[in-house]
Amino acid sequence: MDDYGRDELHSALDEALKQQSPYPQTVQQILERRRDEKRQPPPLAVAVPDKVKPYCVKAVNLADYDQLNPSHEDGPVNDSETEQDKDKEKKKKKAQKKEPEPENAITAITKEENHD
């Protein structure tokens, strides 16, 4: 059940019973055959701690999240990324317009004295 899921296991059990072969090896063979037919990779062995096994994660329709940002049409996925890019561009432009700062206080004083 951990490797294939509840629904797939139930289907394999039903098929094994219809074949009058209610053995674990038969169920395993059915599960593997069905996985091969769907061209799915073999299941990965993942150790799930007992304390989280009772929890069930429900799949959600991700299209519902598109409604949160109705202006999102083939544009950037993350608006914060575009805002960050805009901020970076503004900083670059400001840095280019800004005169270079003096290296230290002494050079600043001598530059002021030269202007007078």
Side-chain angles (χ1 to χ4, degrees):
M1 188 163 99
D2 290 340
D3 292 341
Y4 292 93
R6 183 186 67 199
D7 294 337
E8 198 64 31
L9 178 61
H10 283 262
S11 296
L13 287 168
D14 287 342
E15 188 175 329
L17 290 173
K18 287 177 185 175
Q19 294 176 5
Q20 297 181 349
S21 182
Y23 304 106
Q25 297 85 354
T26 304
V27 175
Q28 182 178 2
Q29 185 179 22
I30 292 168
L31 288 168
E32 290 175 3
R33 176 183 48 82
R34 293 175 69 157
R35 177 185 45 81
D36 287 340
E37 288 172 354
K38 295 176 185 177
R39 300 185 190 279
Q40 295 176 334
L44 297 175
V46 177
V48 178
D50 290 335
K51 65 182 181 181
V52 296
K53 285 185 179 180
Y55 296 102
C56 179
V57 178
K58 294 181 182 178
V60 295
N61 183 1
L62 298 178
D64 294 341
Y65 290 98
D66 290 338
Q67 295 174 2
L68 297 175
N69 187 6
S71 64
H72 172 70
E73 294 182 40
D74 296 327
V77 176
N78 187 347
D79 285 341
S80 64
E81 287 179 14
T82 59
E83 291 300 321
Q84 290 172 355
D85 292 340
K86 289 177 185 177
D87 290 341
K88 287 179 185 176
E89 287 298 319
K90 287 180 185 177
K91 287 179 183 177
K92 282 182 185 178
K93 288 179 182 178
K94 284 182 183 179
Q96 290 171 351
K97 290 180 183 177
K98 192 175 182 182
E99 291 182 23
E101 294 183 17
E103 294 178 19
N104 57 40
I106 296 172
T107 55
I109 293 171
T110 56
K111 285 181 181 179
E112 287 177 14
E113 289 175 357
N114 291 337
H115 291 294
D116 291 334

